Amino acid sequence: QVQPVESGGGLVQAGGSLRLSCVDSGRPYSNYAMGWFRQAPGKEREFVAGINWIGSSTYYSDSVEGRFTVSRDTAKNTVYLHMNSLKPEDTAVYYCGMNTRGGFTPAMRLPTGIEYWGRGTQVTVSS
């Protein structure tokens, strides 16, 4: 059973940094294609960043390009989202989602393209 688990959220001032982690607690060394999404109150869940199973290709939304970096440690079965220059509008619950079917596809930029979701971790950026 694939079970993504996020961690690393918290409260940070604008301009600060955070690092989120996502591990598949259900299957060691699974290393599936993975996407990071976020959902702010009253808004739809939106794509933030994605990475293929081996970590050789990464993808970003326009709103975070140049500020966020997604990476993975295949030995630890963990994917990271390094968030720099955080803004108040980055405040949201951040979710990781995994897809066991093939690599990172354009469909994975939509919530409907994700097979397994974590429960999310709250990121709050104060102004």
Side-chain angles (χ1 to χ4, degrees):
Q1 179 71 27
V2 177
Q3 182 55 64
V5 178
E6 306 94 338
S7 62
L11 173 65
V12 63
Q13 289 188 332
S17 299
L18 279 176
R19 187 186 75 169
L20 305 183
S21 300
C22 178
V23 61
D24 178 5
S25 65
R27 295 186 178 185
Y29 311 114
S30 58
N31 292 317
Y32 297 121
M34 202 278 281
W36 283 100
F37 288 72
R38 66 187 181 188
Q39 188 166 16
K43 295 187 177 182
E44 295 184 350
R45 191 169 297 189
E46 64 173 1
F47 172 77
V48 174
I51 190 166
N52 67 348
W53 74 274
I54 198 172
S56 59
S57 296
T58 57
Y59 311 87
Y60 300 95
S61 67
D62 290 343
S63 61
V64 307
E65 180 89 49
R67 298 189 298 124
F68 291 10
T69 302
V70 60
S71 64
R72 74 189 311 154
D73 185 332
T74 54
K76 295 182 178 180
N77 197 30
T78 301
V79 176
Y80 303 99
L81 184 66
H82 306 263
M83 305 186 295
N84 298 316
S85 302
L86 282 162
K87 305 175 182 180
E89 51 263 44
D90 294 318
T91 295
V93 177
Y94 283 70
Y95 299 90
C96 70
M98 294 182 177
N99 192 338
T100 63
R101 300 173 297 210
F104 188 93
T105 66
M108 285 189 68
R109 289 178 176 263
L110 300 173
T112 52
I114 300 296
E115 288 184 88
Y116 299 96
W117 290 102
R119 294 187 176 183
T121 184
Q122 176 70 46
V123 171
T124 303
V125 184
S126 64
S127 58

